[in-house]
Amino acid sequence: MQIVSKVREPLVTGGKTYKDITEDVCRPVEGNPSMGWFAGMGLSLVLLLAGGYYLGDLLWSGIGRWGLNKTVQWAWDITNFVWWVGIGHAGTLISAVLLLFRQKWRTSINRAAEAMTIFAVICAAIWPVVHMGRPWIGGIWALPLPNTYGSLWVNFNSPLLWDVFAISTYFSVSLVFWFIGLVPDFATIRDRAIKPVPRLIYGMLSMGFNGSAKTWMHYEAVSLILAGLSTPLVLSVHTIVSMDFATSVIPGWHTTIFPPYFVAGAIFSGFAMVLTLMLVTRKLYKLEDYITMEHIEMMSLVVTITGSVVGIAYITEFVIAWYSGVEYEQYAFVNRMTGQYWWAYWSMMACNVISPQVFYVKKLRTNIPFIFFISIVVNIGMWFERFVIIVTSLHRDYLPSSWLYFHPTIYDVMCYVFTFGLFFTLFLAFAKYFPVVNMAEVKSVLKDSDSKVYKSRRTISNEVVPEADRVPVDL
């Protein structure tokens, strides 16, 4: 009897050897930047400088430059804060949770996803700091430190303070996890370096890593410990961010579904951003043999599943509002669909609920340009989700005389542009000076991806295996 195993596509294609992996991953770090890299960095710096001008003027003049009014006192600032925190969620999920579950398809994408997490959290942290109005004394307001203002202490019952601790913890653990994963690759670059300055810099970064069995044992133990510490953060960070709204009594915010709803949305938007970045990086650095269609399909399916969960959460919100019997709560959700911001609500539904469902079609989830387009659409939709939750719940107060419409100013837009410039500048600098793909972990799955092994198996593409290539298996 002959059986052909149904397994996934190999995680490394092209018949690569260990040496090939080292050469391919180190080439962008050791060589000169490409024209594509210079073009991307140039555009990022333009966005950074243009947005930085408006941000500097905002800090000088005050946040009255934003379009906030007496009714809508949270708008683009908090929308962008929550959006960037959500973007950073996929890095921890890929690096920590999938590591604990021994998912080998994470090996080629975890490095860039972890970097994305760190840079996204930096961008997110800008917004609450700027929103303080006087960030130069923000430490007195945000941290429980003795100060010269008398008995002025932070309110530990406020979820805004919980944000400070949650996000700082998330950033610290993610940064350590990311750096520990880089150490073996830094050692490889150090050993290959010819010029003294790169050898010195990467030698310091590699922290004496020598590749011995004992060193690898310590490295893997630390990685597992950090993965265990990071896993609760996948749930806790965006749960606490959601409590900024859920612990209030404002109709449209006061609901217990927000924590799981926000976590699912964060993973949804995070994976979409990973797709956006990795598809560009894959093409720019010629990493098609390492970031394969298998990786892209897996990420596309995660986007589809989390998008479906988010869609269920949208429907559940309406059911909860109806079941509550509170007319103000019911009006808040009807107003979202049919009020002045109907365009934002239906854009959110189209981008977040409808567009990811196309990935159920294999032909579409293996079409690179189409996947890139949908990944951008998803993150546009997730921005609209945060905007809808925040602004539509505020712009209709209990008093009709307080009803106002929020109009963003050029300062709202350009401060947002500044964070994009900062994010892509940091990511492109990372992609030039640090290895984008985790060499050590990719080499660990190379044996499983050997072309001789996969020659006799049917893959996820359902290709028919020729009779001559089938291997007899005795049962």
Side-chain angles (χ1 to χ4, degrees), residues 196-276:
V197 174
R199 182 181 299 172
L200 175 63
I201 294 173
Y202 288 109
M204 294 173 62
L205 291 173
S206 62
M207 301 178 71
F209 191 93
N210 57 15
S212 67
K214 189 174 182 179
T215 305
W216 277 110
M217 181 184 69
H218 290 158
Y219 167 79
E220 292 177 359
V222 170
S223 296
L224 283 175
I225 292 170
L226 288 173
L229 291 174
S230 302
T231 300
L233 296 177
V234 176
L235 302 176
S236 66
V237 173
H238 230 59
T239 295
I240 292 174
V241 169
S242 74
M243 289 180 182
D244 293 349
F245 312 101
T247 54
S248 71
V249 293
I250 295 176
W253 288 3
H254 188 64
T255 174
T256 54
I257 196 178
F258 265 21
Y261 166 22
F262 270 54
V263 170
I267 296 171
F268 179 50
S269 60
F271 265 89
M273 183 60 85
V274 172
L275 273 172
T276 303

Side-chain angles (χ1 to χ4, degrees), residues 374-394:
I374 293 295
S375 69
I376 294 175
V377 167
V378 165
N379 270 312
I380 292 173
M382 288 307 296
W383 188 92
F384 273 118
E385 180 203 282
R386 280 59 182 260
F387 179 81
V388 166
I389 289 173
I390 294 166
V391 175
T392 63
S393 299
L394 291 175

Side-chain angles (χ1 to χ4, degrees), residues 98-173:
L98 297 184
L99 171 63
L100 294 177
F101 281 94
R102 305 298 185 187
Q103 293 297 305
K104 294 182 178 180
W105 62 272
R106 57 175 281 283
T107 53
S108 295
I109 60 174
N110 64 335
R111 173 73 50 75
E114 291 164 11
M116 182 196 75
T117 291
I118 294 164
F119 304 148
V121 172
I122 292 172
C123 293
I126 290 172
W127 294 101
V129 171
V130 173
H131 194 266
M132 289 178 180
R134 290 183 286 173
W136 47 90
I137 57 172
I140 297 173
W141 296 335
L143 297 174
L145 300 172
N147 57 77
T148 59
Y149 291 88
S151 57
L152 175 64
W153 295 92
V154 293
N155 181 8
F156 285 98
N157 294 322
S158 170
L160 298 178
L161 181 63
W162 307 344
D163 276 346
V164 174
F165 293 108
I167 293 174
S168 59
T169 303
Y170 182 56
F171 176 78
S172 303
V173 174

Side-chain angles (χ1 to χ4, degrees), residues 8 17 77 98 107 114 123 228 273 280 289-290 302 312 346 358 378 450 466:
R8 298 190 181 109
T17 62
D77 46 353
L98 297 184
T107 53
E114 291 164 11
C123 293
M273 183 60 85
V280 175
D289 289 327
Y290 305 102
V302 171
I312 292 171
W346 290 110
V358 299
V378 165
D450 192 290

